[in-house]
PDB file of all heavy atoms in Angstrom:
ATOM      1  N   PHE A 251     173.931 133.960-105.953  1.00 96.00           N
ATOM      2  CA  PHE A 251     172.630 133.975-106.615  1.00 96.00           C
ATOM      3  C   PHE A 251     172.639 132.864-107.653  1.00 96.00           C
ATOM      4  O   PHE A 251     173.430 132.896-108.615  1.00 96.00           O
ATOM      5  CB  PHE A 251     172.356 135.318-107.273  1.00 96.00           C
ATOM      6  CG  PHE A 251     171.027 135.393-107.977  1.00 96.00           C
ATOM      7  CD1 PHE A 251     169.843 135.361-107.259  1.00 96.00           C
ATOM      8  CD2 PHE A 251     170.956 135.463-109.368  1.00 96.00           C
ATOM      9  CE1 PHE A 251     168.613 135.431-107.908  1.00 96.00           C
ATOM     10  CE2 PHE A 251     169.730 135.529-110.026  1.00 96.00           C
ATOM     11  CZ  PHE A 251     168.562 135.502-109.287  1.00 96.00           C
ATOM     12  N   ASN A 252     171.775 131.860-107.444  1.00 93.00           N
ATOM     13  CA  ASN A 252     171.784 130.654-108.287  1.00 93.00           C
ATOM     14  C   ASN A 252     173.204 130.074-108.301  1.00 93.00           C
ATOM     15  O   ASN A 252     173.749 129.791-107.250  1.00 93.00           O
ATOM     16  CB  ASN A 252     171.277 130.981-109.695  1.00 93.00           C
ATOM     17  CG  ASN A 252     169.808 131.435-109.677  1.00 93.00           C
ATOM     18  OD1 ASN A 252     169.053 131.068-108.769  1.00 93.00           O
ATOM     19  ND2 ASN A 252     169.407 132.209-110.667  1.00 93.00           N
ATOM     20  N   ASP A 253     173.809 129.953-109.465  1.00 92.00           N
ATOM     21  CA  ASP A 253     175.148 129.370-109.505  1.00 92.00           C
ATOM     22  C   ASP A 253     176.236 130.451-109.634  1.00 92.00           C
ATOM     23  O   ASP A 253     177.399 130.141-109.905  1.00 92.00           O
ATOM     24  CB  ASP A 253     175.268 128.380-110.665  1.00 92.00           C
ATOM     25  CG  ASP A 253     174.963 129.027-112.014  1.00 92.00           C
ATOM     26  OD1 ASP A 253     174.458 130.174-112.021  1.00 92.00           O
ATOM     27  OD2 ASP A 253     175.219 128.399-113.049  1.00 92.00           O
ATOM     28  N   GLN A 254     175.872 131.705-109.423  1.00 95.00           N
ATOM     29  CA  GLN A 254     176.835 132.795-109.496  1.00 95.00           C
ATOM     30  C   GLN A 254     177.290 133.201-108.093  1.00 95.00           C
ATOM     31  O   GLN A 254     176.533 133.075-107.123  1.00 95.00           O
ATOM     32  CB  GLN A 254     176.228 134.012-110.207  1.00 95.00           C
ATOM     33  CG  GLN A 254     175.814 133.775-111.651  1.00 95.00           C
ATOM     34  CD  GLN A 254     175.065 134.966-112.210  1.00 95.00           C
ATOM     35  OE1 GLN A 254     173.869 135.111-112.008  1.00 95.00           O
ATOM     36  NE2 GLN A 254     175.777 135.816-112.938  1.00 95.00           N
ATOM     37  N   LYS A 255     178.517 133.706-108.002  1.00 96.00           N
ATOM     38  CA  LYS A 255     178.979 134.217-106.713  1.00 96.00           C
ATOM     39  C   LYS A 255     179.951 135.378-106.928  1.00 96.00           C
ATOM     40  O   LYS A 255     180.639 135.464-107.953  1.00 96.00           O
ATOM     41  CB  LYS A 255     179.612 133.120-105.874  1.00 96.00           C
ATOM     42  CG  LYS A 255     180.954 132.615-106.363  1.00 96.00           C
ATOM     43  CD  LYS A 255     181.524 131.595-105.369  1.00 96.00           C
ATOM     44  CE  LYS A 255     182.919 131.124-105.807  1.00 96.00           C
ATOM     45  NZ  LYS A 255     183.498 130.180-104.831  1.00 96.00           N
ATOM     46  N   TRP A 256     179.977 136.274-105.951  1.00 97.00           N
ATOM     47  CA  TRP A 256     180.849 137.440-105.969  1.00 97.00           C
ATOM     48  C   TRP A 256     181.492 137.572-104.580  1.00 97.00           C
ATOM     49  O   TRP A 256     180.810 137.398-103.561  1.00 97.00           O
ATOM     50  CB  TRP A 256     180.063 138.705-106.277  1.00 97.00           C
ATOM     51  CG  TRP A 256     179.335 138.669-107.595  1.00 97.00           C
ATOM     52  CD1 TRP A 256     179.759 139.154-108.781  1.00 97.00           C
ATOM     53  CD2 TRP A 256     178.036 138.108-107.841  1.00 97.00           C
ATOM     54  NE1 TRP A 256     178.821 138.943-109.763  1.00 97.00           N
ATOM     55  CE2 TRP A 256     177.737 138.292-109.215  1.00 97.00           C
ATOM     56  CE3 TRP A 256     177.085 137.454-107.045  1.00 97.00           C
ATOM     57  CZ2 TRP A 256     176.554 137.870-109.795  1.00 97.00           C
ATOM     58  CZ3 TRP A 256     175.903 137.023-107.619  1.00 97.00           C
ATOM     59  CH2 TRP A 256     175.641 137.228-108.994  1.00 97.00           C
ATOM     60  N   VAL A 257     182.761 137.883-104.548  1.00 97.00           N
ATOM     61  CA  VAL A 257     183.497 137.931-103.283  1.00 97.00           C
ATOM     62  C   VAL A 257     184.017 139.340-103.024  1.00 97.00           C
ATOM     63  O   VAL A 257     184.634 139.959-103.906  1.00 97.00           O
ATOM     64  CB  VAL A 257     184.675 136.938-103.294  1.00 97.00           C
ATOM     65  CG1 VAL A 257     185.474 137.043-101.993  1.00 97.00           C
ATOM     66  CG2 VAL A 257     184.154 135.505-103.494  1.00 97.00           C
ATOM     67  N   ALA A 258     183.752 139.846-101.820  1.00 96.00           N
ATOM     68  CA  ALA A 258     184.281 141.145-101.378  1.00 96.00           C
ATOM     69  C   ALA A 258     185.352 140.887-100.330  1.00 96.00           C
ATOM     70  O   ALA A 258     185.061 140.318 -99.260  1.00 96.00           O
ATOM     71  CB  ALA A 258     183.163 142.009-100.808  1.00 96.00           C
ATOM     72  N   GLU A 259     186.584 141.270-100.644  1.00 96.00           N
ATOM     73  CA  GLU A 259     187.678 141.095 -99.692  1.00 96.00           C
ATOM     74  C   GLU A 259     187.484 142.040 -98.496  1.00 96.00           C
ATOM     75  O   GLU A 259     186.792 143.062 -98.601  1.00 96.00           O
ATOM     76  CB  GLU A 259     189.015 141.398-100.378  1.00 96.00           C
ATOM     77  CG  GLU A 259     189.335 140.512-101.573  1.00 96.00           C
ATOM     78  CD  GLU A 259     189.543 139.061-101.168  1.00 96.00           C
ATOM     79  OE1 GLU A 259     189.875 138.809 -99.993  1.00 96.00           O
ATOM     80  OE2 GLU A 259     189.344 138.174-102.037  1.00 96.00           O
ATOM     81  N   PRO A 260     188.124 141.735 -97.352  1.00 95.00           N
ATOM     82  CA  PRO A 260     187.975 142.604 -96.162  1.00 95.00           C
ATOM     83  C   PRO A 260     188.300 144.059 -96.439  1.00 95.00           C
ATOM     84  O   PRO A 260     187.601 144.960 -95.967  1.00 95.00           O
ATOM     85  CB  PRO A 260     188.948 141.979 -95.162  1.00 95.00           C
ATOM     86  CG  PRO A 260     189.044 140.552 -95.560  1.00 95.00           C
ATOM     87  CD  PRO A 260     188.933 140.537 -97.054  1.00 95.00           C
ATOM     88  N   LYS A 261     189.366 144.305 -97.216  1.00 94.00           N
ATOM     89  CA  LYS A 261     189.746 145.695 -97.477  1.00 94.00           C
ATOM     90  C   LYS A 261     188.677 146.430 -98.295  1.00 94.00           C
ATOM     91  O   LYS A 261     188.677 147.663 -98.360  1.00 94.00           O
ATOM     92  CB  LYS A 261     191.093 145.746 -98.198  1.00 94.00           C
ATOM     93  CG  LYS A 261     191.091 145.138 -99.589  1.00 94.00           C
ATOM     94  CD  LYS A 261     192.478 145.241-100.232  1.00 94.00           C
ATOM     95  CE  LYS A 261     192.472 144.659-101.649  1.00 94.00           C
ATOM     96  NZ  LYS A 261     193.826 144.740-102.270  1.00 94.00           N
ATOM     97  N   VAL A 262     187.766 145.660 -98.944  1.00 95.00           N
ATOM     98  CA  VAL A 262     186.667 146.261 -99.699  1.00 95.00           C
ATOM     99  C   VAL A 262     185.462 146.497 -98.794  1.00 95.00           C
ATOM    100  O   VAL A 262     184.984 147.624 -98.657  1.00 95.00           O
ATOM    101  CB  VAL A 262     186.270 145.368-100.903  1.00 95.00           C
ATOM    102  CG1 VAL A 262     185.013 145.911-101.581  1.00 95.00           C
ATOM    103  CG2 VAL A 262     187.423 145.283-101.893  1.00 95.00           C
ATOM    104  N   TRP A 263     184.960 145.411 -98.149  1.00 96.00           N
ATOM    105  CA  TRP A 263     183.720 145.576 -97.399  1.00 96.00           C
ATOM    106  C   TRP A 263     183.913 146.332 -96.089  1.00 96.00           C
ATOM    107  O   TRP A 263     182.949 146.926 -95.559  1.00 96.00           O
ATOM    108  CB  TRP A 263     183.001 144.241 -97.186  1.00 96.00           C
ATOM    109  CG  TRP A 263     183.633 143.224 -96.278  1.00 96.00           C
ATOM    110  CD1 TRP A 263     184.438 142.196 -96.644  1.00 96.00           C
ATOM    111  CD2 TRP A 263     183.458 143.098 -94.866  1.00 96.00           C
ATOM    112  NE1 TRP A 263     184.801 141.444 -95.559  1.00 96.00           N
ATOM    113  CE2 TRP A 263     184.203 141.969 -94.448  1.00 96.00           C
ATOM    114  CE3 TRP A 263     182.761 143.812 -93.905  1.00 96.00           C
ATOM    115  CZ2 TRP A 263     184.264 141.546 -93.123  1.00 96.00           C
ATOM    116  CZ3 TRP A 263     182.808 143.404 -92.570  1.00 96.00           C
ATOM    117  CH2 TRP A 263     183.560 142.278 -92.195  1.00 96.00           C
ATOM    118  N   HIS A 264     185.093 146.386 -95.551  1.00 96.00           N
ATOM    119  CA  HIS A 264     185.330 147.184 -94.336  1.00 96.00           C
ATOM    120  C   HIS A 264     185.032 148.670 -94.599  1.00 96.00           C
ATOM    121  O   HIS A 264     184.617 149.393 -93.685  1.00 96.00           O
ATOM    122  CB  HIS A 264     186.772 147.023 -93.863  1.00 96.00           C
ATOM    123  CG  HIS A 264     187.019 145.715 -93.186  1.00 96.00           C
ATOM    124  ND1 HIS A 264     188.249 145.357 -92.683  1.00 96.00           N
ATOM    125  CD2 HIS A 264     186.205 144.643 -92.941  1.00 96.00           C
ATOM    126  CE1 HIS A 264     188.192 144.147 -92.166  1.00 96.00           C
ATOM    127  NE2 HIS A 264     186.955 143.692 -92.315  1.00 96.00           N
ATOM    128  N   GLN A 265     185.239 149.107 -95.836  1.00 94.00           N
ATOM    129  CA  GLN A 265     185.055 150.516 -96.152  1.00 94.00           C
ATOM    130  C   GLN A 265     183.585 150.887 -96.395  1.00 94.00           C
ATOM    131  O   GLN A 265     183.274 152.049 -96.647  1.00 94.00           O
ATOM    132  CB  GLN A 265     185.888 150.878 -97.380  1.00 94.00           C
ATOM    133  CG  GLN A 265     187.390 150.752 -97.127  1.00 94.00           C
ATOM    134  CD  GLN A 265     188.211 151.175 -98.335  1.00 94.00           C
ATOM    135  OE1 GLN A 265     187.887 152.170 -98.986  1.00 94.00           O
ATOM    136  NE2 GLN A 265     189.263 150.419 -98.635  1.00 94.00           N
ATOM    137  N   TRP A 266     182.692 149.912 -96.282  1.00 96.00           N
ATOM    138  CA  TRP A 266     181.275 150.202 -96.469  1.00 96.00           C
ATOM    139  C   TRP A 266     180.619 150.802 -95.230  1.00 96.00           C
ATOM    140  O   TRP A 266     179.489 151.292 -95.290  1.00 96.00           O
ATOM    141  CB  TRP A 266     180.514 148.932 -96.848  1.00 96.00           C
ATOM    142  CG  TRP A 266     180.932 148.320 -98.154  1.00 96.00           C
ATOM    143  CD1 TRP A 266     181.738 148.866 -99.102  1.00 96.00           C
ATOM    144  CD2 TRP A 266     180.564 147.021 -98.648  1.00 96.00           C
ATOM    145  NE1 TRP A 266     181.904 148.012-100.159  1.00 96.00           N
ATOM    146  CE2 TRP A 266     181.199 146.856 -99.910  1.00 96.00           C
ATOM    147  CE3 TRP A 266     179.782 145.988 -98.161  1.00 96.00           C
ATOM    148  CZ2 TRP A 266     181.044 145.710-100.675  1.00 96.00           C
ATOM    149  CZ3 TRP A 266     179.625 144.839 -98.922  1.00 96.00           C
ATOM    150  CH2 TRP A 266     180.251 144.709-100.168  1.00 96.00           C
ATOM    151  N   PHE A 267     181.294 150.768 -94.091  1.00 96.00           N
ATOM    152  CA  PHE A 267     180.665 151.197 -92.841  1.00 96.00           C
ATOM    153  C   PHE A 267     180.592 152.716 -92.735  1.00 96.00           C
ATOM    154  O   PHE A 267     181.517 153.439 -93.104  1.00 96.00           O
ATOM    155  CB  PHE A 267     181.429 150.644 -91.637  1.00 96.00           C
ATOM    156  CG  PHE A 267     181.198 149.185 -91.400  1.00 96.00           C
ATOM    157  CD1 PHE A 267     182.182 148.253 -91.718  1.00 96.00           C
ATOM    158  CD2 PHE A 267     179.996 148.736 -90.871  1.00 96.00           C
ATOM    159  CE1 PHE A 267     181.977 146.900 -91.503  1.00 96.00           C
ATOM    160  CE2 PHE A 267     179.785 147.384 -90.657  1.00 96.00           C
ATOM    161  CZ  PHE A 267     180.781 146.460 -90.969  1.00 96.00           C
ATOM    162  N   SER A 268     179.454 153.178 -92.224  1.00 94.00           N
ATOM    163  CA  SER A 268     179.240 154.582 -91.888  1.00 94.00           C
ATOM    164  C   SER A 268     178.349 154.642 -90.659  1.00 94.00           C
ATOM    165  O   SER A 268     177.830 153.613 -90.210  1.00 94.00           O
ATOM    166  CB  SER A 268     178.567 155.340 -93.043  1.00 94.00           C
ATOM    167  OG  SER A 268     179.501 155.756 -93.994  1.00 94.00           O
ATOM    168  N   ALA A 269     178.184 155.844 -90.148  1.00 93.00           N
ATOM    169  CA  ALA A 269     177.256 156.050 -89.034  1.00 93.00           C
ATOM    170  C   ALA A 269     175.930 156.572 -89.576  1.00 93.00           C
ATOM    171  O   ALA A 269     175.897 157.305 -90.568  1.00 93.00           O
ATOM    172  CB  ALA A 269     177.835 157.029 -88.034  1.00 93.00           C
ATOM    173  N   VAL A 270     174.824 156.171 -88.955  1.00 92.00           N
ATOM    174  CA  VAL A 270     173.484 156.600 -89.355  1.00 92.00           C
ATOM    175  C   VAL A 270     172.807 157.215 -88.145  1.00 92.00           C
ATOM    176  O   VAL A 270     172.848 156.660 -87.038  1.00 92.00           O
ATOM    177  CB  VAL A 270     172.645 155.417 -89.875  1.00 92.00           C
ATOM    178  CG1 VAL A 270     171.253 155.894 -90.268  1.00 92.00           C
ATOM    179  CG2 VAL A 270     173.324 154.755 -91.061  1.00 92.00           C
ATOM    180  N   LYS A 271     172.189 158.389 -88.363  1.00 90.00           N
ATOM    181  CA  LYS A 271     171.525 159.111 -87.287  1.00 90.00           C
ATOM    182  C   LYS A 271     170.058 158.711 -87.201  1.00 90.00           C
ATOM    183  O   LYS A 271     169.335 158.703 -88.199  1.00 90.00           O
ATOM    184  CB  LYS A 271     171.625 160.613 -87.540  1.00 90.00           C
ATOM    185  CG  LYS A 271     171.270 161.487 -86.336  1.00 90.00           C
ATOM    186  CD  LYS A 271     172.462 161.635 -85.415  1.00 90.00           C
ATOM    187  CE  LYS A 271     172.199 162.701 -84.368  1.00 90.00           C
ATOM    188  NZ  LYS A 271     173.368 162.895 -83.489  1.00 90.00           N
ATOM    189  N   PHE A 272     169.624 158.331 -85.988  1.00 86.00           N
ATOM    190  CA  PHE A 272     168.222 158.061 -85.717  1.00 86.00           C
ATOM    191  C   PHE A 272     167.761 158.988 -84.596  1.00 86.00           C
ATOM    192  O   PHE A 272     168.582 159.661 -83.955  1.00 86.00           O
ATOM    193  CB  PHE A 272     168.009 156.604 -85.292  1.00 86.00           C
ATOM    194  CG  PHE A 272     168.255 155.607 -86.403  1.00 86.00           C
ATOM    195  CD1 PHE A 272     169.482 154.971 -86.523  1.00 86.00           C
ATOM    196  CD2 PHE A 272     167.262 155.317 -87.310  1.00 86.00           C
ATOM    197  CE1 PHE A 272     169.712 154.055 -87.535  1.00 86.00           C
ATOM    198  CE2 PHE A 272     167.484 154.403 -88.330  1.00 86.00           C
ATOM    199  CZ  PHE A 272     168.703 153.765 -88.439  1.00 86.00           C
TER     200      PHE A 272
END
Side-chain angles (χ1 to χ4, degrees):
F251 180 68
N252 296 334
D253 58 349
Q254 298 173 277
K255 71 176 183 178
W256 301 265
V257 177
E259 300 294 337
K261 65 180 181 181
V262 173
W263 68 265
H264 284 180
Q265 295 183 41
W266 297 349
F267 285 106
S268 277
V270 179
K271 194 83 169 182
F272 292 96

